[in-house]
Amino acid sequence: MTRGLSIGAWLLLSVSVLPDARAQVRNPFETDDVAIRTGAGLFAARCAVCHGPDAKGQLGPDLTQRWARGETDESAFQIVRNGVPGSSMPPNIAPDNEIWAIVAHLRSISVMPPLESTGDAGLGRATFASECAGCHQVRGEGGALGPDLTSIGAARSRAALIAALREPSAIVALGFRGVTVVTRGGAQIEGAVKGEDAFSMQIATVDGELRAYAKRELAQVERSSESLMPVFAPDRLSDAALEDLLAYIGTLRGTRSVQ
């Protein structure tokens, strides 16, 4: 029995787990209140000494910012399971349901309150369609080069959204950093690496395609720590237009948006 958990909470969590939880891309406990409370107890007992009782960081990093960077429950699960080589974060042999519960707890305390903006969400939706939808998806519609923004309004604060628009290269999540490759035939491709192993590389190109290359086919690979997202400085996106865009983004909380 894990210290800090009631017998009732643990039994409810145990019987509600999906048998193939680890294979799920979506956290099976994402909206399970019992699992989230159980995850809070597990986090307090096992993780708070390094990450702080509020997960805002202590000896270890702030964990509530993962979703603000566009990362997922699945990537959080893998870090808890496998640890971080070269750091003080060890691998974890806990059952899958316990790790998913911890992740569900972290996500629940990372969701932002409704974003405040003086802008017009309808105008912001039009700006999004013209400036953002080519690279970002909302509920399955749009480009795939950048992160899916269906729930971005619940994951990022107003300050973080403004920084992402005005200074997109300040924080760039893995999987969205720029890369330029040149094939042995002389073709040049620019995009972001979405998958890679010792022999191959999968790239989401700037024109919206997903291409796979054997590394032996590539004459040159140039990686960048910069974001492919353009800088939306005031001369490109005025303060008024920014407020409109923020008003629309604030509606993107995994539910129906303004039409």
Side-chain angles (χ1 to χ4, degrees), residues 163-236:
L165 289 161
R166 298 299 198 202
E167 301 178 85
S169 292
I171 300 176
V172 186
L174 292 175
F176 300 104
R177 294 175 180 173
V179 66
T180 301
V181 301
V182 179
T183 68
R184 296 195 180 278
Q188 180 173 301
I189 300 94
E190 182 181 5
V193 177
K194 295 300 181 181
E196 183 175 6
D197 56 31
F199 306 102
S200 64
M201 180 180 292
Q202 296 79 48
I203 299 174
T205 68
V206 293
D207 56 3
E209 297 182 3
L210 183 63
R211 301 182 185 178
Y213 298 91
K215 288 188 174 179
R216 65 176 181 273
E217 299 173 347
L218 302 177
Q220 181 179 343
V221 177
E222 182 177 344
R223 302 176 191 268
S224 173
S225 60
E226 299 292 304
S227 173
L228 291 172
M229 180 170 166
V231 176
F232 286 93
D235 60 347
R236 176 167 180 166

Side-chain angles (χ1 to χ4, degrees), residues 95-137:
D96 289 355
N97 60 341
E98 293 185 8
I99 296 179
W100 280 123
I102 290 171
V103 172
H105 161 65
L106 290 173
R107 184 182 182 90
S108 74
I109 62 174
S110 301
V111 174
M112 297 293 153
L115 187 148
E116 295 184 1
S117 174
T118 59
D120 183 311
L123 294 176
R125 186 175 188 272
T127 298
F128 185 93
S130 62
E131 297 287 350
C132 312
C135 293
H136 296 280
Q137 288 192 10

